[in-house]
Amino acid sequence: MDLSVTPGNDFYTYANGVWLKNNPVPAKETRWGSFNELRDFNINAVKTILNEAASNKNAKEGSIEKRVGDFYAAGMDSAAIDKLGYSPIKGDLKRVRKVKDVKGLLNEVAYLRTSGAASPMFGFYVGQDRKDPNTMIPQLSQGGTTLPDRDYYLKDDARSQKIQAAYKEYITKLFTLTGTSEAAAKKNAETIFNMEKKLAAAQMARVEMRDPYKTYNKFAVADFSKTTPNMDWKSLMAKMKVTGEDTILVNNPKFFTELNGLLTSEPTANWNTYLQWNVLKSAAPYLSTDFVDANFAFSQVLSGQKVQTPRWQRMSSLTDGTIGELLGQLYVQKHFKPEAKARMNDMIANLIKAYEIRINNLEWMSDVTKEKALAKLHAFRPKVGYPDNWKNYDGLAINRKTFFQNVRNSGQWAYNDMVDQLGKPVDRTKWGMTPPTVNAYYSPVMNEIVFPAGILQFPFFDPNADDAVNYGGIGAVIGHEISHGFDDSGSQYDKDGSLRNWWTAEDQAKFKEKAAALSAQYDAYTVLDTIHVNGKLTLGENIGDLGGLSAAYEAFKMTKQGQSNEKIDGFTPDQRFFLAWAQVWRTNILPETAAQLILTDPHSPGQYRTVGAPVNMDAWYEAFNVKPGDKLYKKPEDRIRLW
């Protein structure tokens, strides 16, 4: 803490100033804060598990240790990987170059997807139907681009131009590494950039994509094909291993009509180049050092990261991202205790109780809507730590000697596993994150809140800490995830996970008015002097923070410590609660990463997450004696009270 600062002027620096000064961003990172410290602890824990598994000579064939150890060991054998150069993708590139017409092109797009090699042109996945969440349905989404956001193609400010130039250099470099002449590679880079720019122009912006109704467009497959005469979805889906499905969901139909036009307006030779690029960029992180270095050099321009993440860390993350529920079983044995799960379950129950009290006390909401809100709250399904049913990856071949093939096999296995869900009951036991993940999530179609073992550690959670610290940390995270069920997007789903309105028109109008005020509050915040936070893009997360911290405070006041005034280390229980919250969000960040995240991240920057919710809470003003004239002061009537 920096006690020389007045909390009412700069609560972020007051709570974190000395830490921020003493903890610059390490060279291998793009930002550094509580999340990153815990992620660093976890990835080192994972590294130890993987090294033990990889060096265990007695691990039985087919055992978890053997499969996890072999996958990691193959990734760590950089000498063998370097020896191969780009030979693992020579066959793909050769095959792609033979494409001569639109039909061949679409066949290749389907093949690359089903073989786990690349996902060109558009997004495709199998997921729950938002208006019928007990049914799995094939879904198409806009895609086809490489840069993190459509704005990078469409804007021409200095920063965007710098990134565009670096991107073209990256494309040129990968093509020259496969033997293409410099001149031809440069020409390819222009072709690819221009094609992706056209795809970017057809995409909806991120704020629009947050609207669950706007992105819900259901078609009979035959009818959708009529809107894209060059793409017969029945035969294309069959090639993508989807048969017998007569309906499809599309998040942006306009994107597909534009794509349909590009299939014939762009010469097939250009599409051919585009497909080669998709093979190259997807494979680059898993090929020899020159490819990996080129990949990093480009990401450096986007993020500002000083040195490449060490190989062990990249391979540990890849193992977690690929066979995370095998690795996760070894992780929770060592790093997740039953008493942590029990304490979490208690806290979740308390947060639900607090939320119930808060909904009942809302002045702006009618009883009719309150009843529906409470029904939704009581239907929440919490998941803590790790799945009840582990995925076992049956049929996934992993060989200690063939790293690239392991990655490719995994991609193919994951694709088949996804498509295999069609026509089956929704699996409500499955998880969207792996156990070592330092994060949490809410799923509107499942109406569930999920907390992996990875986040259930200090500074978010410590079974031995006082309640103020736990409720200001993990308590607020639990409240945040509950609040996602009631944010501007999640609130449009009912207790069963259906996209269905349960609000009276009057209550919905009041909610939207409050949400707009919160949006405006965050719009006023800036990073790097002039770049404004996007209040509409971050609205769901900001509602999550305000609702979550308010509910966590309510729950904290039910505890013995919450009802006392006994100081610890000179701070009252309420002060410790808000300080725990503030210290969770302490972050040093590279300027390049900060600028990128404003465009792409639905979360506000850490410094504004720290203050954005407390300035709307009377309890914070009382705890730190914040008065009119202090920079963060908001008049009581201007404080936004949502949940």
Side-chain angles (χ1 to χ4, degrees):
M1 296 175 68
D2 181 352
L3 299 178
S4 70
V5 175
T6 307
N9 285 335
D10 183 353
F11 187 54
Y12 183 63
T13 305
Y14 170 76
N16 300 309
V18 172
W19 186 93
L20 291 166
K21 215 177 289 159
N22 294 337
N23 289 275
V25 180
K28 72 181 177 72
E29 303 286 344
T30 58
R31 48 181 163 167
W32 194 248
S34 297
F35 271 87
N36 310 85
E37 286 180 306
L38 183 44
R39 282 179 182 141
D40 206 58
F41 168 82
N42 271 351
I43 203 71
N44 277 290
V46 164
K47 174 193 184 183
T48 304
I49 291 167
L50 290 171
N51 279 329
E52 282 171 9
S55 56
N56 181 355
K57 299 280 186 287
N58 304 318
K60 288 194 181 69
E61 202 58 51
S63 68
I64 293 172
E65 283 82 355
K66 175 91 174 122
R67 298 172 79 196
V68 164
D70 284 355
F71 187 91
Y72 179 70
M76 289 305 290
D77 190 352
S78 52
I81 294 164
D82 280 347
K83 212 176 281 175
L84 291 171
Y86 79 99
S87 62
I89 55 166
K90 277 184 177 164
D92 287 324
L93 292 171
K94 193 173 164 189
R95 198 185 57 256
V96 169
R97 288 188 191 115
K98 289 183 181 155
V99 170
K100 294 285 180 281
D101 54 23
V102 172
K103 188 181 174 214
L105 178 67
L106 293 172
N107 286 347
E108 188 56 39
V109 166
Y111 174 77
L112 289 173
R113 202 173 286 272
T114 55
S115 64
S119 304
M121 283 192 195
F122 54 85
F124 170 74
Y125 61 100
V126 170
Q128 284 162 271
D129 182 337
R130 276 174 276 166
K131 290 189 178 178
D132 178 14
N134 291 321
T135 305
M136 302 300 281
I137 188 170
Q139 310 196 28
L140 290 169
S141 59
Q142 63 183 33
T145 50
T146 307
L147 295 174
D149 191 82
R150 70 196 280 269
D151 280 9
Y152 286 119
Y153 296 91
L154 308 177
K155 284 187 169 174
D156 62 358
D157 56 280
R159 185 167 184 275
S160 302
Q161 284 181 345
K162 183 186 170 194
I163 286 166
Q164 290 167 12
Y167 180 42
K168 288 174 189 174
E169 270 174 45
Y170 176 45
I171 300 172
T172 305
K173 178 71 176 168
L174 290 198
F175 272 101
T176 55
L177 287 175
T178 60
T180 307
S181 73
E182 183 84 16
K186 277 190 166 148
K187 188 166 169 273
N188 286 352
E190 288 301 328
T191 299
I192 288 156
F193 182 82
N194 291 333
M195 289 181 76
E196 290 192 358
K197 186 176 180 177
K198 288 171 187 169
L199 292 170
Q203 292 176 2
M204 286 199 284
R206 281 174 193 261
V207 170
E208 275 187 286
M209 292 295 290
R210 293 194 66 247
D211 183 335
Y213 282 97
K214 194 175 257 185
T215 54
Y216 186 95
N217 303 282
K218 197 181 235 182
F219 291 88
V221 173
D223 290 342
F224 186 56
S225 296
K226 286 176 192 154
T227 70
T228 59
N230 296 317
M231 304 171 93
D232 172 28
W233 287 98
K234 189 177 180 191
S235 68
L236 185 52
M237 277 163 56
K239 293 191 176 84
M240 292 180 355
K241 303 191 173 185
V242 175
T243 51
E245 295 289 324
D246 56 4
T247 319
I248 194 156
L249 274 178
V250 185
N251 76 351
N252 179 2
K254 174 180 160 272
F255 175 84
F256 288 90
T257 54
E258 297 282 327
L259 172 61
N260 173 72
L262 288 173
L263 286 173
T264 46
S265 65
E266 285 287 336
T268 310
N270 288 359
W271 278 114
N272 200 308
T273 306
Y274 169 83
L275 286 189
Q276 289 177 56
W277 169 239
N278 273 268
V279 169
L280 275 171
K281 73 171 181 187
S282 302
Y286 317 117
L287 296 173
S288 51
T289 304
D290 40 6
F291 283 87
V292 174
D293 289 351
N295 179 289
F296 175 67
F298 169 57
S299 76
Q300 262 186 309
V301 179
L302 284 171
S303 70
Q305 188 175 334
K306 303 289 184 285
V307 302
Q308 196 162 179
T309 309
R311 185 166 196 95
W312 70 260
Q313 190 171 339
R314 283 180 281 130
M315 291 307 122
S316 297
S317 297
L318 182 68
T319 309
D320 182 35
T322 308
I323 45 174
E325 291 197 18
L326 293 181
L327 170 62
Q329 292 176 62
L330 305 178
Y331 173 84
V332 296
Q333 279 168 19
K334 287 199 169 180
H335 297 283
F336 191 57
K337 303 191 171 47
E339 52 269 33
K341 188 165 188 165
R343 180 84 193 270
M344 259 309 272
N345 286 330
D346 287 346
M347 288 185 73
I348 291 169
N350 289 352
L351 258 296
I352 300 260
K353 205 181 297 167
Y355 230 93
E356 186 181 308
I357 293 167
R358 294 190 67 79
I359 290 171
N360 278 320
N361 289 340
L362 288 177
E363 287 170 10
W364 59 269
M365 186 185 273
S366 70
D367 289 347
V368 184
T369 308
K370 279 182 186 176
E371 200 179 310
K372 300 273 175 54
L374 290 168
K376 178 167 185 174
L377 178 70
H378 294 140
F380 270 54
R381 293 179 69 238
K383 292 178 177 175
V384 175
Y386 52 87
D388 293 333
N389 302 330
W390 294 98
K391 250 187 209 178
N392 56 18
Y393 306 90
D394 278 347
L396 171 58
I398 296 169
N399 185 315
R400 205 179 177 98
K401 297 272 184 278
T402 56
F403 171 60
F404 189 85
Q405 195 56 48
N406 292 344
V407 173
R408 186 59 61 83
N409 291 350
S410 306
Q412 191 168 1
W413 187 93
Y415 183 86
N416 291 336
D417 183 54
M418 175 182 77
V419 170
D420 194 42
Q421 298 172 80
L422 287 166
K424 291 184 180 162
V426 171
D427 179 2
R428 295 186 178 275
T429 66
K430 73 171 196 229
W431 281 50
M433 286 178 180
T434 65
T437 307
V438 182
N439 212 332
Y441 69 92
Y442 168 73
S443 163
V445 280
M446 291 279 204
N447 198 26
E448 65 181 13
I449 44 175
V450 186
F451 305 95
I455 198 171
L456 303 180
Q457 298 173 58
F458 184 80
F460 296 92
F461 176 68
D462 179 352
N464 304 313
D466 57 304
D467 280 326
V469 170
N470 276 328
Y471 277 91
I474 200 70
V477 174
I478 297 167
H480 174 100
E481 299 310 335
I482 293 173
S483 296
H484 274 313
F486 301 100
D487 70 18
D488 61 314
S489 175
S491 64
Q492 301 184 62
Y493 295 79
D494 69 9
K495 69 180 176 58
D496 302 319
S498 281
L499 186 57
R500 186 186 297 136
N501 183 33
W502 46 272
W503 294 72
T504 67
E506 204 178 317
D507 288 343
Q508 195 160 40
K510 286 179 189 166
F511 175 77
K512 285 183 173 166
E513 193 185 322
K514 286 175 176 294
L518 194 64
S519 194
Q521 176 188 320
Y522 283 83
D523 274 337
Y525 296 142
T526 56
V527 296
L528 309 177
D529 299 331
T530 58
I531 302 175
H532 280 266
V533 173
N534 183 339
K536 286 195 176 76
L537 177 63
T538 56
L539 181 58
E541 297 298 336
N542 299 335
I543 292 173
D545 282 351
L546 178 54
L549 190 63
S550 302
Y553 181 75
E554 183 96 35
F556 170 56
K557 297 312 274 184
M558 297 177 199
T559 67
K560 197 172 154 202
Q561 185 192 14
Q563 289 162 17
S564 83
N565 284 315
E566 198 180 314
K567 291 185 176 179
I568 301 178
D569 300 334
F571 294 98
T572 67
D574 277 20
Q575 287 174 332
R576 288 174 68 78
F577 170 86
F578 285 109
L579 287 168
W581 165 258
Q583 291 177 350
V584 158
W585 300 117
R586 60 191 185 198
T587 315
N588 280 315
I589 186 165
L590 301 175
E592 296 88 342
T593 298
Q596 179 183 332
L597 292 180
I598 286 290
L599 271 185
T600 60
D601 190 354
H603 302 85
S604 297
Q607 75 217 69
Y608 298 125
R609 295 190 76 171
T610 299
V611 299
V615 297
N616 291 303
M617 294 172 65
D618 299 345
W620 176 74
Y621 289 82
E622 286 158 27
F624 294 97
N625 196 23
V626 180
K627 294 272 187 278
D630 290 344
K631 287 181 186 156
L632 292 172
Y633 182 83
K634 273 176 107 169
K635 287 194 285 224
E637 62 270 25
D638 293 339
R639 294 172 199 166
I640 302 157
R641 292 171 177 84
L642 256 166
W643 291 106

